[in-house]
Amino acid sequence: MTGRVVSGTRNVFTVKTEEPAVRECRIKGKVLKSASRYYNPLAPGDRVEFDAASGLILSAEPRRNAFTRFNTKGNAPQIIAANVDAILCLTSPASPPFRPRFIDRLLLQADSANIPAMIACNKRDLFPTVDAKTRLEIEARLADFARLDYEVFLISAKTGEGLDALKSRLKGSVVVLVGQSGSGKTSLINALLPGVRRRTGPVNRKYDRGNHTTVMSELLEDEAEGIAVIDTPGIRSLAPDGIAPDEVQQLMRDFAPFAGKCAFGLSCAHQNEAGCKIREAVSSGAIHGDRFESFVRITKELAAGEVRDKG
Ligand code: GDP
């Protein structure tokens, strides 16, 4: 039988078949050669073949794409979701505060995996409560993401504002939802997928695995709405996966036109070197100063070979 993984951890997975039925399946040993590099062999969105009688997973279909990160605790790349149409980064202007550095990392990973990324700023009803300076900064960053051709949605899962536009954009798609805890992922899922009710609030669904606790990603589908969401409640930080330090300037959209064009080429450190095209672009406004800061942090982290959990 074949089916799609909806959730699971290292060797036990929930698989949804065409019937439709949900089966608990297992992997024994290293049957999936493609998985050896990863912390986890399968992720929500993966399509698998399993033995109907025993529930043993026999093989996995090659992935169309994968959204991954470097799992610093497990010291290996981790597949967060497979075979997706888009990544939606959920943020908020307050409670919790806007975190543009997390968005920069997410966009980098999405572009590296060739997955369209979009940003939804939830809790737009809270904008009037934010101080004027912070509000201007948030608006400037959101405008900058839009300038770089990322789709930006201003929404409120509470008041319903902006949800129709987002919903029609997501129709027919499988989307990974990533965002800080408290940004409103559960509330948004309830609004987008009325057929799948989730409990909102500070307490997450936790999966106890020995001495440390992990929150599972899960594929939720509302067939009537034609939208599937892969919820990722456990993603607090994103260390890039599979990206070399030199590649960052080619992958970050605002840096790409200047990549390798500095007088010292790819060996330019973009500090005070003469003929540094990237610093010039920051001065002219072609690259936002905050994006430059993210770029410096990410490349330093990758060059040092140390992958730290920095948001
Ligand atoms: P999650 O941790 O990302 O799943 O976030 P939740 O959906 O549990 O929401 C966290 C808190 O934010 C809850 O108290 C929600 O009621 C609240 N919340 C969610 N969306 C909005 C919104 O658009 N505006 C406001 N003011 N609060 C919201």
Side-chain angles (χ1 to χ4, degrees):
M1 285 190 91
T2 60
R4 177 158 66 166
V5 174
V6 293
S7 65
T9 53
R10 290 185 136 174
N11 44 32
V12 183
F13 298 90
T14 304
V15 176
K16 197 170 171 185
T17 67
E18 303 296 332
E19 278 180 5
V22 167
R23 284 285 303 265
E24 187 167 281
C25 294
R26 283 165 192 278
I27 289 193
K28 275 221 178 109
K30 300 223 179 285
V31 283
L32 305 178
K33 288 194 186 73
S34 58
S36 55
R37 164 176 121 74
Y38 293 104
Y39 174 77
N40 52 332
L42 295 167
D46 263 319
R47 296 202 169 268
V48 294
E49 188 195 352
F50 63 91
D51 178 73
S54 64
L56 279 182
I57 291 174
L58 306 170
S59 65
E61 270 183 30
R63 298 186 175 107
R64 175 158 65 91
N65 58 37
F67 176 52
T68 62
R69 70 163 171 173
F70 194 83
N71 183 308
T72 48
K73 278 190 198 133
N75 197 33
Q78 176 189 6
I79 310 158
I80 296 165
N83 303 318
V84 298
D85 300 302
I87 298 177
L88 179 63
C89 181
L90 195 67
T91 66
S92 49
S95 321
F98 188 64
R99 255 177 99 201
R101 267 180 228 307
F102 183 84
I103 307 176
D104 290 335
R105 283 168 181 265
L106 190 79
L107 299 178
L108 171 68
Q109 192 70 49
D111 281 335
S112 156
N114 261 318
I115 304 171
M118 34 191 150
I119 298 155
C121 186
N122 187 34
K123 310 199 185 188
R124 66 176 291 181
D125 55 296
L126 294 185
F127 265 104
T129 68
V130 178
D131 72 88
K133 183 168 170 281
T134 310
R135 183 175 173 164
L136 278 176
E137 281 166 10
I138 297 172
E139 286 169 348
R141 287 305 309 270
L142 291 175
D144 195 54
F145 291 128
R147 176 183 73 100
L148 297 174
D149 275 343
Y150 296 106
E151 287 172 82
V152 176
F153 296 87
L154 276 176
I155 60 168
S156 170
K158 188 173 167 186
T159 68
E161 279 174 279
L163 289 182
D164 286 346
L166 180 61
K167 210 169 184 171
S168 46
R169 172 63 182 82
L170 296 179
K171 274 248 182 287
S173 324
V174 179
V175 62
V176 199
L177 183 60
V178 188
Q180 260 177 291
S181 169
S183 58
K185 289 186 298 300
T186 311
S187 310
L188 180 62
I189 287 170
N190 287 341
L192 291 176
L193 315 175
V196 186
R197 294 303 294 182
R198 295 213 134 198
R199 202 160 44 86
T200 57
V203 189
N204 277 316
R205 301 151 298 280
K206 290 200 170 144
Y207 174 75
D208 198 359
R209 188 157 47 78
N211 50 8
H212 61 109
T213 300
T214 254
V215 190
M216 288 197 287
S217 293
E218 187 178 5
L219 186 143
L220 304 156
E221 190 170 19
D222 190 326
E223 273 155 29
E225 295 291 334
I227 302 176
V229 173
I230 297 178
D231 186 18
T232 62
I235 311 293
R236 284 186 201 87
S237 60
L238 275 178
D241 168 47
I243 299 172
D246 279 359
E247 284 171 341
V248 179
Q249 56 182 292
Q250 288 151 35
L251 286 169
M252 287 179 77
R253 293 182 182 179
D254 33 359
F255 288 67
F258 312 102
K261 301 254 169 75
C262 299
F264 293 107
L266 284 173
S267 58
C268 183
H270 319 297
Q271 296 302 313
N272 302 303
E273 292 89 344
C276 172
K277 295 294 171 204
I278 287 180
R279 290 300 284 221
E280 283 174 26
V282 175
S283 302
S284 76
I287 294 174
H288 192 289
D290 247 23
R291 294 268 298 170
F292 180 71
E293 182 60 30
S294 280
F295 165 79
V296 169
R297 291 190 194 190
I298 295 167
T299 40
K300 260 194 197 153
E301 180 181 305
L302 293 172
E306 49 173 306
V307 200
R308 274 172 283 132
D309 258 349
K310 285 250 172 86

